[in-house]
Amino acid sequence: MFVLPDLPYPYESLEPTVSVTTMRTHHDKHHKAYVDNANKMLADAGVAATSLEAVVKSSRGSNQKLFNNAGQAWNHAFFWESMTPSYAAPGGALAAAIDADFGGVAQLKEKFVAEGVGHFGSGWVWLAVENGKLTIVSTHDAETLVGRDGVAPVLLCDLWEHAYYLDYKNDRKGFLEKWFDTVANWAFAGQQFDAAKGQGQAYAYPAPTA
Ligand code: MN3
């Protein structure tokens, strides 16, 4: 059984960028449903999973329903970690790479927001390391960077309407700009970047309970 990870901060702590109402619905209803569905499908199939990452990789292209739920369970857990109530600008090796690969945080923001705004329908916008360089990509629906060869996720924002509609209505751009400027977790992103470069451990979803 996979657990629904607790938020790494209080529900109300991302206000006013993300309201407590959005966080409660998003975590306790949406994310919980993906975890519950994945657990049920695995139980019905008699599968004892070793990790959520393994479930994502093995279901990709072969079991779309399981992939959708496992991918969404993973992406949401990574998304909660990608936010913080204690905003601090990028530092360390990540900051140097942002300068080298984008020309600075302002240019990165412009590309990140444009990718998210230009993404049609539901999905995710990612900062990632690909072939040693930072890049911005978006994925559709439950698609995830987990299991993609040569690509490591660094920071993630949810583009599904349930992530912002209560607070921003249809203004996805407004949500992304405020998100980037006020709650993006650059300390977490820095850890993921370092892990992609061989320093420390990348984020992993909590191991399943017996
Ligand atoms: Mn969501």
PDB file of all heavy atoms in Angstrom, residues 104-137:
ATOM      1  N   GLY A 104      19.694  33.743 -16.392  1.00  0.00           N
ATOM      2  CA  GLY A 104      19.255  34.297 -15.115  1.00  0.00           C
ATOM      3  C   GLY A 104      17.869  33.811 -14.735  1.00  0.00           C
ATOM      4  O   GLY A 104      17.159  33.199 -15.546  1.00  0.00           O
ATOM      5  N   VAL A 105      17.498  34.105 -13.478  1.00  0.00           N
ATOM      6  CA  VAL A 105      16.204  33.643 -12.961  1.00  0.00           C
ATOM      7  C   VAL A 105      15.039  34.301 -13.714  1.00  0.00           C
ATOM      8  O   VAL A 105      14.006  33.667 -13.960  1.00  0.00           O
ATOM      9  CB  VAL A 105      16.105  33.918 -11.448  1.00  0.00           C
ATOM     10  CG1 VAL A 105      14.715  33.588 -10.917  1.00  0.00           C
ATOM     11  CG2 VAL A 105      17.148  33.109 -10.678  1.00  0.00           C
ATOM     12  N   ALA A 106      15.198  35.568 -14.080  1.00  0.00           N
ATOM     13  CA  ALA A 106      14.115  36.273 -14.780  1.00  0.00           C
ATOM     14  C   ALA A 106      13.814  35.614 -16.126  1.00  0.00           C
ATOM     15  O   ALA A 106      12.649  35.449 -16.506  1.00  0.00           O
ATOM     16  CB  ALA A 106      14.486  37.740 -14.980  1.00  0.00           C
ATOM     17  N   GLN A 107      14.864  35.210 -16.824  1.00  0.00           N
ATOM     18  CA  GLN A 107      14.679  34.545 -18.121  1.00  0.00           C
ATOM     19  C   GLN A 107      14.085  33.142 -17.935  1.00  0.00           C
ATOM     20  O   GLN A 107      13.267  32.696 -18.742  1.00  0.00           O
ATOM     21  CB  GLN A 107      16.007  34.461 -18.875  1.00  0.00           C
ATOM     22  CG  GLN A 107      16.528  35.810 -19.373  1.00  0.00           C
ATOM     23  CD  GLN A 107      17.394  36.530 -18.343  1.00  0.00           C
ATOM     24  OE1 GLN A 107      17.276  36.339 -17.138  1.00  0.00           O
ATOM     25  NE2 GLN A 107      18.275  37.394 -18.830  1.00  0.00           N
ATOM     26  N   LEU A 108      14.540  32.466 -16.883  1.00  0.00           N
ATOM     27  CA  LEU A 108      13.964  31.155 -16.569  1.00  0.00           C
ATOM     28  C   LEU A 108      12.470  31.299 -16.290  1.00  0.00           C
ATOM     29  O   LEU A 108      11.652  30.526 -16.797  1.00  0.00           O
ATOM     30  CB  LEU A 108      14.680  30.540 -15.351  1.00  0.00           C
ATOM     31  CG  LEU A 108      13.972  29.379 -14.647  1.00  0.00           C
ATOM     32  CD1 LEU A 108      13.716  28.214 -15.595  1.00  0.00           C
ATOM     33  CD2 LEU A 108      14.803  28.908 -13.456  1.00  0.00           C
ATOM     34  N   LYS A 109      12.116  32.297 -15.488  1.00  0.00           N
ATOM     35  CA  LYS A 109      10.699  32.514 -15.169  1.00  0.00           C
ATOM     36  C   LYS A 109       9.887  32.740 -16.441  1.00  0.00           C
ATOM     37  O   LYS A 109       8.801  32.167 -16.608  1.00  0.00           O
ATOM     38  CB  LYS A 109      10.547  33.723 -14.239  1.00  0.00           C
ATOM     39  CG  LYS A 109       9.088  34.065 -13.933  1.00  0.00           C
ATOM     40  CD  LYS A 109       8.967  35.375 -13.169  1.00  0.00           C
ATOM     41  CE  LYS A 109       7.506  35.784 -13.026  1.00  0.00           C
ATOM     42  NZ  LYS A 109       7.362  37.095 -12.370  1.00  0.00           N
ATOM     43  N   GLU A 110      10.402  33.570 -17.324  1.00  0.00           N
ATOM     44  CA  GLU A 110       9.688  33.879 -18.558  1.00  0.00           C
ATOM     45  C   GLU A 110       9.399  32.602 -19.356  1.00  0.00           C
ATOM     46  O   GLU A 110       8.289  32.391 -19.838  1.00  0.00           O
ATOM     47  CB  GLU A 110      10.538  34.842 -19.388  1.00  0.00           C
ATOM     48  CG  GLU A 110       9.788  35.574 -20.478  1.00  0.00           C
ATOM     49  CD  GLU A 110      10.679  36.618 -21.156  1.00  0.00           C
ATOM     50  OE1 GLU A 110      11.342  37.400 -20.453  1.00  0.00           O
ATOM     51  OE2 GLU A 110      10.712  36.603 -22.390  1.00  0.00           O
ATOM     52  N   LYS A 111      10.404  31.742 -19.461  1.00  0.00           N
ATOM     53  CA  LYS A 111      10.239  30.491 -20.223  1.00  0.00           C
ATOM     54  C   LYS A 111       9.315  29.510 -19.510  1.00  0.00           C
ATOM     55  O   LYS A 111       8.521  28.817 -20.148  1.00  0.00           O
ATOM     56  CB  LYS A 111      11.598  29.833 -20.473  1.00  0.00           C
ATOM     57  CG  LYS A 111      12.437  30.543 -21.518  1.00  0.00           C
ATOM     58  CD  LYS A 111      13.573  29.672 -22.004  1.00  0.00           C
ATOM     59  CE  LYS A 111      14.208  30.301 -23.242  1.00  0.00           C
ATOM     60  NZ  LYS A 111      15.382  29.570 -23.719  1.00  0.00           N
ATOM     61  N   PHE A 112       9.465  29.429 -18.197  1.00  0.00           N
ATOM     62  CA  PHE A 112       8.648  28.503 -17.402  1.00  0.00           C
ATOM     63  C   PHE A 112       7.169  28.891 -17.506  1.00  0.00           C
ATOM     64  O   PHE A 112       6.300  28.048 -17.756  1.00  0.00           O
ATOM     65  CB  PHE A 112       9.133  28.558 -15.944  1.00  0.00           C
ATOM     66  CG  PHE A 112       8.559  27.517 -15.023  1.00  0.00           C
ATOM     67  CD1 PHE A 112       9.158  26.273 -14.890  1.00  0.00           C
ATOM     68  CD2 PHE A 112       7.432  27.801 -14.253  1.00  0.00           C
ATOM     69  CE1 PHE A 112       8.639  25.324 -14.017  1.00  0.00           C
ATOM     70  CE2 PHE A 112       6.912  26.851 -13.386  1.00  0.00           C
ATOM     71  CZ  PHE A 112       7.517  25.613 -13.266  1.00  0.00           C
ATOM     72  N   VAL A 113       6.888  30.176 -17.334  1.00  0.00           N
ATOM     73  CA  VAL A 113       5.506  30.660 -17.403  1.00  0.00           C
ATOM     74  C   VAL A 113       4.954  30.484 -18.822  1.00  0.00           C
ATOM     75  O   VAL A 113       3.820  30.033 -19.012  1.00  0.00           O
ATOM     76  CB  VAL A 113       5.411  32.126 -16.938  1.00  0.00           C
ATOM     77  CG1 VAL A 113       4.032  32.707 -17.225  1.00  0.00           C
ATOM     78  CG2 VAL A 113       5.751  32.247 -15.459  1.00  0.00           C
ATOM     79  N   ALA A 114       5.761  30.814 -19.821  1.00  0.00           N
ATOM     80  CA  ALA A 114       5.295  30.680 -21.209  1.00  0.00           C
ATOM     81  C   ALA A 114       4.990  29.225 -21.562  1.00  0.00           C
ATOM     82  O   ALA A 114       3.996  28.932 -22.241  1.00  0.00           O
ATOM     83  CB  ALA A 114       6.348  31.242 -22.174  1.00  0.00           C
ATOM     84  N   GLU A 115       5.825  28.310 -21.069  1.00  0.00           N
ATOM     85  CA  GLU A 115       5.574  26.883 -21.335  1.00  0.00           C
ATOM     86  C   GLU A 115       4.255  26.456 -20.686  1.00  0.00           C
ATOM     87  O   GLU A 115       3.465  25.735 -21.295  1.00  0.00           O
ATOM     88  CB  GLU A 115       6.739  26.039 -20.795  1.00  0.00           C
ATOM     89  CG  GLU A 115       6.596  24.538 -21.015  1.00  0.00           C
ATOM     90  CD  GLU A 115       6.785  24.106 -22.457  1.00  0.00           C
ATOM     91  OE1 GLU A 115       7.492  24.813 -23.195  1.00  0.00           O
ATOM     92  OE2 GLU A 115       6.225  23.058 -22.843  1.00  0.00           O
ATOM     93  N   GLY A 116       4.042  26.903 -19.448  1.00  0.00           N
ATOM     94  CA  GLY A 116       2.816  26.541 -18.742  1.00  0.00           C
ATOM     95  C   GLY A 116       1.575  27.149 -19.371  1.00  0.00           C
ATOM     96  O   GLY A 116       0.536  26.488 -19.496  1.00  0.00           O
ATOM     97  N   VAL A 117       1.682  28.393 -19.774  1.00  0.00           N
ATOM     98  CA  VAL A 117       0.541  29.070 -20.403  1.00  0.00           C
ATOM     99  C   VAL A 117       0.245  28.447 -21.766  1.00  0.00           C
ATOM    100  O   VAL A 117      -0.911  28.277 -22.152  1.00  0.00           O
ATOM    101  CB  VAL A 117       0.821  30.584 -20.544  1.00  0.00           C
ATOM    102  CG1 VAL A 117      -0.226  31.267 -21.417  1.00  0.00           C
ATOM    103  CG2 VAL A 117       0.864  31.241 -19.168  1.00  0.00           C
ATOM    104  N   GLY A 118       1.290  28.076 -22.492  1.00  0.00           N
ATOM    105  CA  GLY A 118       1.110  27.530 -23.830  1.00  0.00           C
ATOM    106  C   GLY A 118       0.705  26.072 -23.861  1.00  0.00           C
ATOM    107  O   GLY A 118       0.335  25.553 -24.920  1.00  0.00           O
ATOM    108  N   HIS A 119       0.750  25.418 -22.712  1.00  0.00           N
ATOM    109  CA  HIS A 119       0.400  23.995 -22.650  1.00  0.00           C
ATOM    110  C   HIS A 119      -1.110  23.840 -22.758  1.00  0.00           C
ATOM    111  O   HIS A 119      -1.843  24.356 -21.913  1.00  0.00           O
ATOM    112  CB  HIS A 119       0.909  23.397 -21.340  1.00  0.00           C
ATOM    113  CG  HIS A 119       0.601  21.940 -21.179  1.00  0.00           C
ATOM    114  ND1 HIS A 119       1.468  20.962 -21.613  1.00  0.00           N
ATOM    115  CD2 HIS A 119      -0.472  21.303 -20.669  1.00  0.00           C
ATOM    116  CE1 HIS A 119       0.928  19.783 -21.367  1.00  0.00           C
ATOM    117  NE2 HIS A 119      -0.248  19.963 -20.786  1.00  0.00           N
ATOM    118  N   PHE A 120      -1.571  23.145 -23.778  1.00  0.00           N
ATOM    119  CA  PHE A 120      -3.013  23.004 -23.997  1.00  0.00           C
ATOM    120  C   PHE A 120      -3.583  21.922 -23.096  1.00  0.00           C
ATOM    121  O   PHE A 120      -3.145  20.783 -23.123  1.00  0.00           O
ATOM    122  CB  PHE A 120      -3.293  22.659 -25.464  1.00  0.00           C
ATOM    123  CG  PHE A 120      -4.760  22.651 -25.782  1.00  0.00           C
ATOM    124  CD1 PHE A 120      -5.446  23.836 -26.015  1.00  0.00           C
ATOM    125  CD2 PHE A 120      -5.459  21.458 -25.823  1.00  0.00           C
ATOM    126  CE1 PHE A 120      -6.804  23.828 -26.282  1.00  0.00           C
ATOM    127  CE2 PHE A 120      -6.823  21.452 -26.098  1.00  0.00           C
ATOM    128  CZ  PHE A 120      -7.495  22.629 -26.327  1.00  0.00           C
ATOM    129  N   GLY A 121      -4.591  22.289 -22.304  1.00  0.00           N
ATOM    130  CA  GLY A 121      -5.275  21.315 -21.463  1.00  0.00           C
ATOM    131  C   GLY A 121      -4.520  21.045 -20.168  1.00  0.00           C
ATOM    132  O   GLY A 121      -3.724  21.855 -19.704  1.00  0.00           O
ATOM    133  N   SER A 122      -4.783  19.877 -19.587  1.00  0.00           N
ATOM    134  CA  SER A 122      -4.227  19.532 -18.285  1.00  0.00           C
ATOM    135  C   SER A 122      -2.820  18.976 -18.410  1.00  0.00           C
ATOM    136  O   SER A 122      -2.456  18.396 -19.431  1.00  0.00           O
ATOM    137  CB  SER A 122      -5.115  18.488 -17.602  1.00  0.00           C
ATOM    138  OG  SER A 122      -6.383  19.036 -17.327  1.00  0.00           O
ATOM    139  N   GLY A 123      -2.047  19.149 -17.352  1.00  0.00           N
ATOM    140  CA  GLY A 123      -0.699  18.594 -17.359  1.00  0.00           C
ATOM    141  C   GLY A 123       0.178  19.258 -16.335  1.00  0.00           C
ATOM    142  O   GLY A 123      -0.297  19.736 -15.297  1.00  0.00           O
ATOM    143  N   TRP A 124       1.465  19.309 -16.655  1.00  0.00           N
ATOM    144  CA  TRP A 124       2.486  19.729 -15.692  1.00  0.00           C
ATOM    145  C   TRP A 124       3.576  20.486 -16.412  1.00  0.00           C
ATOM    146  O   TRP A 124       3.926  20.154 -17.547  1.00  0.00           O
ATOM    147  CB  TRP A 124       3.098  18.490 -15.026  1.00  0.00           C
ATOM    148  CG  TRP A 124       2.108  17.643 -14.304  1.00  0.00           C
ATOM    149  CD1 TRP A 124       1.323  16.643 -14.827  1.00  0.00           C
ATOM    150  CD2 TRP A 124       1.755  17.722 -12.920  1.00  0.00           C
ATOM    151  NE1 TRP A 124       0.517  16.104 -13.850  1.00  0.00           N
ATOM    152  CE2 TRP A 124       0.760  16.745 -12.669  1.00  0.00           C
ATOM    153  CE3 TRP A 124       2.195  18.535 -11.865  1.00  0.00           C
ATOM    154  CZ2 TRP A 124       0.209  16.576 -11.390  1.00  0.00           C
ATOM    155  CZ3 TRP A 124       1.632  18.350 -10.604  1.00  0.00           C
ATOM    156  CH2 TRP A 124       0.654  17.378 -10.381  1.00  0.00           C
ATOM    157  N   VAL A 125       4.172  21.475 -15.730  1.00  0.00           N
ATOM    158  CA  VAL A 125       5.356  22.151 -16.280  1.00  0.00           C
ATOM    159  C   VAL A 125       6.523  21.888 -15.328  1.00  0.00           C
ATOM    160  O   VAL A 125       6.385  22.021 -14.113  1.00  0.00           O
ATOM    161  CB  VAL A 125       5.099  23.658 -16.536  1.00  0.00           C
ATOM    162  CG1 VAL A 125       4.670  24.410 -15.282  1.00  0.00           C
ATOM    163  CG2 VAL A 125       6.324  24.306 -17.172  1.00  0.00           C
ATOM    164  N   TRP A 126       7.639  21.502 -15.939  1.00  0.00           N
ATOM    165  CA  TRP A 126       8.796  21.032 -15.175  1.00  0.00           C
ATOM    166  C   TRP A 126      10.034  21.860 -15.494  1.00  0.00           C
ATOM    167  O   TRP A 126      10.255  22.220 -16.655  1.00  0.00           O
ATOM    168  CB  TRP A 126       9.165  19.603 -15.571  1.00  0.00           C
ATOM    169  CG  TRP A 126       8.086  18.582 -15.575  1.00  0.00           C
ATOM    170  CD1 TRP A 126       7.061  18.469 -16.476  1.00  0.00           C
ATOM    171  CD2 TRP A 126       7.924  17.483 -14.665  1.00  0.00           C
ATOM    172  NE1 TRP A 126       6.282  17.372 -16.158  1.00  0.00           N
ATOM    173  CE2 TRP A 126       6.790  16.759 -15.069  1.00  0.00           C
ATOM    174  CE3 TRP A 126       8.658  17.051 -13.544  1.00  0.00           C
ATOM    175  CZ2 TRP A 126       6.352  15.615 -14.388  1.00  0.00           C
ATOM    176  CZ3 TRP A 126       8.219  15.919 -12.863  1.00  0.00           C
ATOM    177  CH2 TRP A 126       7.074  15.220 -13.281  1.00  0.00           C
ATOM    178  N   LEU A 127      10.860  22.070 -14.482  1.00  0.00           N
ATOM    179  CA  LEU A 127      12.267  22.395 -14.693  1.00  0.00           C
ATOM    180  C   LEU A 127      12.998  21.072 -14.506  1.00  0.00           C
ATOM    181  O   LEU A 127      12.751  20.351 -13.534  1.00  0.00           O
ATOM    182  CB  LEU A 127      12.743  23.440 -13.679  1.00  0.00           C
ATOM    183  CG  LEU A 127      14.236  23.804 -13.741  1.00  0.00           C
ATOM    184  CD1 LEU A 127      14.582  24.478 -15.066  1.00  0.00           C
ATOM    185  CD2 LEU A 127      14.607  24.705 -12.560  1.00  0.00           C
ATOM    186  N   ALA A 128      13.867  20.738 -15.439  1.00  0.00           N
ATOM    187  CA  ALA A 128      14.508  19.427 -15.410  1.00  0.00           C
ATOM    188  C   ALA A 128      15.953  19.552 -15.879  1.00  0.00           C
ATOM    189  O   ALA A 128      16.347  20.570 -16.459  1.00  0.00           O
ATOM    190  CB  ALA A 128      13.746  18.451 -16.294  1.00  0.00           C
ATOM    191  N   VAL A 129      16.707  18.504 -15.625  1.00  0.00           N
ATOM    192  CA  VAL A 129      18.060  18.387 -16.174  1.00  0.00           C
ATOM    193  C   VAL A 129      18.012  17.329 -17.265  1.00  0.00           C
ATOM    194  O   VAL A 129      17.556  16.203 -17.027  1.00  0.00           O
ATOM    195  CB  VAL A 129      19.082  17.978 -15.095  1.00  0.00           C
ATOM    196  CG1 VAL A 129      20.456  17.790 -15.733  1.00  0.00           C
ATOM    197  CG2 VAL A 129      19.154  19.020 -13.998  1.00  0.00           C
ATOM    198  N   GLU A 130      18.432  17.721 -18.454  1.00  0.00           N
ATOM    199  CA  GLU A 130      18.469  16.763 -19.559  1.00  0.00           C
ATOM    200  C   GLU A 130      19.833  16.877 -20.229  1.00  0.00           C
ATOM    201  O   GLU A 130      20.242  17.970 -20.640  1.00  0.00           O
ATOM    202  CB  GLU A 130      17.357  17.061 -20.578  1.00  0.00           C
ATOM    203  CG  GLU A 130      17.323  16.063 -21.712  1.00  0.00           C
ATOM    204  CD  GLU A 130      16.038  16.146 -22.531  1.00  0.00           C
ATOM    205  OE1 GLU A 130      15.340  17.181 -22.437  1.00  0.00           O
ATOM    206  OE2 GLU A 130      15.753  15.180 -23.248  1.00  0.00           O
ATOM    207  N   ASN A 131      20.504  15.755 -20.332  1.00  0.00           N
ATOM    208  CA  ASN A 131      21.850  15.736 -20.913  1.00  0.00           C
ATOM    209  C   ASN A 131      22.752  16.786 -20.265  1.00  0.00           C
ATOM    210  O   ASN A 131      23.506  17.484 -20.938  1.00  0.00           O
ATOM    211  CB  ASN A 131      21.783  15.955 -22.422  1.00  0.00           C
ATOM    212  CG  ASN A 131      20.962  14.874 -23.105  1.00  0.00           C
ATOM    213  OD1 ASN A 131      21.017  13.709 -22.715  1.00  0.00           O
ATOM    214  ND2 ASN A 131      20.173  15.261 -24.093  1.00  0.00           N
ATOM    215  N   GLY A 132      22.610  16.913 -18.943  1.00  0.00           N
ATOM    216  CA  GLY A 132      23.484  17.783 -18.180  1.00  0.00           C
ATOM    217  C   GLY A 132      23.079  19.247 -18.140  1.00  0.00           C
ATOM    218  O   GLY A 132      23.696  20.038 -17.424  1.00  0.00           O
ATOM    219  N   LYS A 133      22.061  19.623 -18.902  1.00  0.00           N
ATOM    220  CA  LYS A 133      21.646  21.034 -18.931  1.00  0.00           C
ATOM    221  C   LYS A 133      20.221  21.203 -18.408  1.00  0.00           C
ATOM    222  O   LYS A 133      19.380  20.322 -18.573  1.00  0.00           O
ATOM    223  CB  LYS A 133      21.714  21.576 -20.368  1.00  0.00           C
ATOM    224  CG  LYS A 133      23.131  21.765 -20.876  1.00  0.00           C
ATOM    225  CD  LYS A 133      23.155  22.553 -22.185  1.00  0.00           C
ATOM    226  CE  LYS A 133      22.890  24.029 -21.976  1.00  0.00           C
ATOM    227  NZ  LYS A 133      23.056  24.811 -23.227  1.00  0.00           N
ATOM    228  N   LEU A 134      19.972  22.370 -17.848  1.00  0.00           N
ATOM    229  CA  LEU A 134      18.610  22.674 -17.398  1.00  0.00           C
ATOM    230  C   LEU A 134      17.718  22.897 -18.609  1.00  0.00           C
ATOM    231  O   LEU A 134      18.122  23.507 -19.610  1.00  0.00           O
ATOM    232  CB  LEU A 134      18.611  23.932 -16.531  1.00  0.00           C
ATOM    233  CG  LEU A 134      19.185  23.785 -15.122  1.00  0.00           C
ATOM    234  CD1 LEU A 134      19.333  25.166 -14.485  1.00  0.00           C
ATOM    235  CD2 LEU A 134      18.311  22.890 -14.263  1.00  0.00           C
ATOM    236  N   THR A 135      16.477  22.422 -18.493  1.00  0.00           N
ATOM    237  CA  THR A 135      15.517  22.610 -19.566  1.00  0.00           C
ATOM    238  C   THR A 135      14.124  22.718 -18.971  1.00  0.00           C
ATOM    239  O   THR A 135      13.902  22.310 -17.828  1.00  0.00           O
ATOM    240  CB  THR A 135      15.584  21.437 -20.573  1.00  0.00           C
ATOM    241  OG1 THR A 135      14.694  21.688 -21.645  1.00  0.00           O
ATOM    242  CG2 THR A 135      15.202  20.126 -19.905  1.00  0.00           C
ATOM    243  N   ILE A 136      13.200  23.298 -19.721  1.00  0.00           N
ATOM    244  CA  ILE A 136      11.810  23.396 -19.283  1.00  0.00           C
ATOM    245  C   ILE A 136      10.970  22.558 -20.224  1.00  0.00           C
ATOM    246  O   ILE A 136      11.074  22.696 -21.453  1.00  0.00           O
ATOM    247  CB  ILE A 136      11.338  24.859 -19.287  1.00  0.00           C
ATOM    248  CG1 ILE A 136      12.057  25.625 -18.179  1.00  0.00           C
ATOM    249  CG2 ILE A 136       9.827  24.939 -19.085  1.00  0.00           C
ATOM    250  CD1 ILE A 136      11.982  27.109 -18.347  1.00  0.00           C
ATOM    251  N   VAL A 137      10.168  21.682 -19.648  1.00  0.00           N
ATOM    252  CA  VAL A 137       9.298  20.833 -20.461  1.00  0.00           C
ATOM    253  C   VAL A 137       7.915  20.791 -19.824  1.00  0.00           C
ATOM    254  O   VAL A 137       7.767  21.031 -18.625  1.00  0.00           O
ATOM    255  CB  VAL A 137       9.836  19.394 -20.589  1.00  0.00           C
ATOM    256  CG1 VAL A 137      11.145  19.362 -21.365  1.00  0.00           C
ATOM    257  CG2 VAL A 137      10.013  18.747 -19.232  1.00  0.00           C
TER     258      VAL A 137
END
